[in-house]
Amino acid sequence: MGPGRRPAGRAGVHDDFFESGGHSIDALRLIGRINQAFGERLGVSAVLEHPTVARQAALLRGRHVAVATDPVVRLRPEGTLDPLFLVHPIGGNVFCYRTLAAELDAGRPVFGLTAPGLTDPAAAPDATVEELAAAHLEALRRIRPTGPYHLAGWSFGGLLAYEMAVQLRSAGQEVATLALLDTGYPEPGHVPDDETELLEWFHEDLARSAGFDPTDDSLSVLRSALRSAAGTPARLAVLAGHVQREGFAPGLDPRDLARHYAVFRTGIRAAAAYRPPAAPCPVLFLQTTTGAGEHAADRWAARAEAGLTRHDAATDHYGLMRPPHSTTAAALLRTALAGADHR
C-alpha cells in the first residue's frame, strides 16, 4: 500500500461523503445517527453543506442547530453572479442537484430549496402547490429580496418553480430564467385511492433516487406485504423492513421514513390538484424518454405563451440527474443563465 493510502472501504475524516459513494438515503441514515448520538436535530442538508466528518464535527462543536430548520441548502454560496435556485423534487431533498450545481459556472451561487415538511414539524400535510411555492418564496426572498430571479426544478421541483415564477411576476418581480427539468404536466385525480399503491410509488422513488432498480419479484413481495398490513404505521414498518432487506437503505429510522412519506404524499396530492396558469416568461424544458412518453413538453408548451425551448436527453427520468446526463443539463442551464445575464 502506497504512502497515504487507506484500505479499501475506509473513509478518512476529510473525505467527501458523496465522493466516497454516499447517496441520499445514506445521508438520511447518517444524520439520524448523529442526532441520536448527540441529541441534536440537524437536517439532512447538514451533510450537503458539510460533507466531511471533520466539517460535521465542527458543526456540532459550534452547535449550529439553526441548520435544522433552514429550508435553504447552500449548495454553493460563493459567487458574484445572480444566484440560481433549485427546487426540491417529490422526495423533498435536494441531494439530486449536487452534481449539477458543481458543473455550473464557478461564479454562480446555487441554493437548493427543501420541502417545508422536512424542516418544519408544523408544515401543513395538505398544502397546495400555490402554498408550497409561497413558502419557498418566503425563504428565497430572505436571501434575495428582489430580482432578477433564476429558477429551476427537476420533476415536481419544476412544478413548484413554475408556480413560484407566476407569483413573482404577479408581485412585479423579474423572472429571468425558468427551467423545467423533465417535469410532468399535472394530471387531475392522479392519486391512488389505495394507500398501498401510493406507498409502492414512494418505495420506487426512494429506490430509484438511490440508484437502485428493484426487481419484479421484490416489488411483488412488497405489494403483498403492504396489503396484509393495516394502517399507515404498520405499512411504513413493512416498507422499512423491505428496504432493509433490499440493501439500499439499511438502518433507516422509521420516524425519518414517516416524515419523508408525508412530504411525498403531500407533493403527489398537490401536483394532481394543480392547474397551471399561463407561463409568466419563456420556459426552458429538458425532456427525457420518460417525459416524451407522456408528451410533457408539448403540454407545457400550450401554457408557455412567451415560448418554450425544448431539449431532449437520451435517458429516463431518474438518469437525468446523474452523469453524463447531469452534465448536459448543466451545460443547458449555463447557456440559459449566461444569456439572461446579458439581457
Side-chain angles (χ1 to χ4, degrees), residues 79-95:
T80 57
L81 297 171
D82 293 336
L84 172 66
F85 292 89
L86 296 168
V87 193
H88 68 86
I90 199 73
N93 279 310
V94 292
F95 293 107

Side-chain angles (χ1 to χ4, degrees), residues 38-299:
F38 295 96
E40 289 288 2
R41 53 187 185 92
L42 299 176
V44 287
S45 60
V47 181
L48 274 167
E49 294 184 4
H50 307 274
T52 69
V53 171
R55 289 179 59 181
Q56 290 158 17
L59 178 69
L60 288 167
R61 285 193 296 270
R63 310 290 290 179
H64 293 158
V65 294
V67 299
T69 57
D70 190 351
V72 179
V73 177
R74 290 146 181 82
L75 292 168
R76 195 174 61 196
E78 302 84 9
T80 57
L81 297 171
D82 293 336
L84 172 66
F85 292 89
L86 296 168
V87 193
H88 68 86
I90 199 73
N93 279 310
V94 292
F95 293 107
C96 56
Y97 298 130
R98 186 175 182 276
T99 301
L100 177 71
E103 294 179 342
L104 296 173
D105 292 326
R108 177 83 57 191
V110 184
F111 298 94
L113 297 169
T114 59
L118 295 187
T119 57
D120 181 5
D126 56 352
T128 64
V129 166
E130 291 87 346
E131 290 166 342
L132 291 169
H136 286 312
L137 287 178
E138 183 179 349
L140 176 154
R141 296 184 81 170
R142 286 198 294 267
I143 294 172
R144 187 172 178 83
T146 60
Y149 291 101
H150 303 286
L151 306 173
W154 170 56
S155 193
F156 181 63
L159 205 65
L160 294 175
Y162 187 95
E163 175 58 26
M164 289 167 67
V166 169
Q167 294 184 21
L168 283 169
R169 284 297 297 270
S170 294
Q173 294 292 324
E174 177 187 357
V175 180
T177 304
L178 175 58
L180 310 186
L181 308 179
D182 208 44
T183 295
Y185 196 85
E187 295 283 356
H190 191 51
V191 180
D193 294 327
D194 184 355
E195 186 184 52
T196 59
E197 186 178 351
L198 185 58
L199 281 163
E200 289 175 34
W201 288 14
F202 177 55
H203 167 265
E204 180 183 8
D205 187 68
L206 282 176
R208 298 289 302 279
S209 295
F212 182 81
D213 191 9
T215 65
D216 290 341
D217 287 345
S218 175
L219 294 176
S220 179
V221 169
L222 173 62
R223 184 174 299 114
S224 177
L226 286 173
R227 295 191 184 284
S228 298
T232 300
R235 290 170 185 148
L236 283 171
V238 165
L239 182 57
H242 190 80
V243 298
Q244 169 88 20
R245 289 187 294 275
E246 285 181 315
F248 73 88
L252 189 61
D253 189 322
R255 293 169 298 181
D256 288 329
L257 189 67
R259 189 169 71 254
H260 280 74
Y261 173 60
V263 166
F264 179 87
R265 183 178 55 203
T266 295
I268 291 290
R269 291 174 173 172
Y274 184 56
R275 304 294 178 266
C281 58
V283 175
L284 171 66
F285 197 96
L286 181 53
Q287 182 171 260
T288 70
T289 55
T290 307
E294 300 170 355
H295 305 287
D298 294 336
R299 300 182 71 184

